[in-house]
Amino acid sequence: MSEAHSGEHHHETEPYAALRTKALESLLVEKGLVSSDAIDALVQAYEQDIGPLNGAKVVARAWVDPAYKQRLIVKGTEAIAELGFGGSQGAEIVVLENTPAVHNMVVCTLCSCYPWPVLGLPPTWYKSHAYRARAVIEPRAVLRELGLALDDSVEVRVWDSTADVRYMVLPRRPKGSEGLAEAELASLVSRDSMIGVAEAGPPSGVGQ
Ligand code: FE
């Protein structure tokens, strides 16, 4: 799978990319084109606001609209673009549906490839060596440590992201959410549930 990592996003170029980003930021600030505060605000928006909220809207739409869900599973990038999200510079987004029998989990073993148009910036743990190494070797143990205990009967599939293909998990719709509207459903969808290290949360007041 590692061969799929190619071009500019190869893991060996990651420190270079970080350096380059810093250099560009310094230049922009120095030229008075942007302020550091503006950049910090942008980063924060991608981590907390723009980011996972987009994915949550995609998931909620899929839960209420079977035809949309079908399109999402077959052609993720296009279905996501229908809701106005995209711009991943050529990277394709593949959506993996969790079922009672199959649980999907996403990692980038070599660096930190991530479906940022739907999830924003990756959390620190996603980029950690421990997660990247262990997710493929002992996914069940990693999931357990992150608080997700899966029944032995559930098959765990681990997907290794690349520069060309980014994965997003479509979590299962929580029990007790039958009567909820799309916007309320979206609020149940955490970032972690779309990486596949958690379930979508139950509606408040409903135990699982
Ligand atoms: Fe990567």
Side-chain angles (χ1 to χ4, degrees):
M1 275 192 245
S2 60
E3 288 78 8
H5 285 254
S6 61
E8 284 190 296
H9 201 76
H10 192 272
H11 62 114
E12 285 171 10
T13 65
E14 195 76 354
Y16 172 74
L19 273 176
R20 193 159 179 267
T21 304
K22 271 207 172 101
L24 282 169
E25 179 180 346
S26 305
L27 190 65
L28 290 168
V29 171
E30 196 182 294
K31 297 274 181 196
L33 293 172
V34 294
S35 69
S36 293
D37 288 350
I39 292 171
D40 289 346
L42 194 62
V43 168
Q44 204 174 3
Y46 265 93
E47 271 173 349
Q48 294 168 14
D49 307 328
I50 298 170
L53 273 180
N54 291 353
K57 287 177 187 164
V58 169
V59 170
R61 175 65 56 84
W63 283 345
V64 300
D65 182 343
Y68 180 75
K69 179 174 131 182
Q70 190 57 29
R71 294 198 295 281
L72 187 65
I73 302 293
V74 175
K75 284 199 160 190
T77 313
E78 282 85 341
I80 286 164
E82 284 180 39
L83 300 194
F85 311 132
S88 195
Q89 295 167 340
E92 197 184 325
I93 299 178
V94 171
V95 178
L96 312 160
E97 183 185 12
N98 281 351
T99 68
V102 176
H103 180 89
N104 297 285
M105 174 182 182
V106 180
V107 66
C108 176
T109 55
L110 288 186
C111 44
S112 56
C113 298
Y114 195 68
W116 62 263
V118 275
L119 293 190
L121 296 175
T124 307
W125 59 260
Y126 183 85
K127 298 181 272 187
S128 73
H129 178 74
Y131 180 75
R132 285 161 37 211
R134 294 183 58 220
V136 277
I137 299 167
E138 43 177 355
R140 283 174 190 279
V142 172
L143 291 176
R144 243 189 335 266
E145 286 166 33
L146 291 169
L148 181 57
L150 293 172
D151 195 90
D152 285 345
S153 65
V154 179
E155 180 191 343
V156 178
R157 293 184 189 159
V158 182
W159 301 78
D160 195 359
S161 303
T162 70
D164 302 321
V165 181
R166 313 288 169 95
Y167 300 101
M168 170 188 153
V169 174
L170 173 58
R172 292 164 63 198
R173 182 168 173 167
K175 290 188 181 74
S177 68
E178 291 75 15
L180 297 186
E182 197 174 328
E184 295 170 302
L185 288 170
S187 72
L188 305 179
V189 184
S190 66
R191 174 195 66 199
D192 289 1
S193 72
M194 294 181 281
I195 303 176
V197 298
E199 308 266 25
S204 48
V206 178
Q208 238 185 350

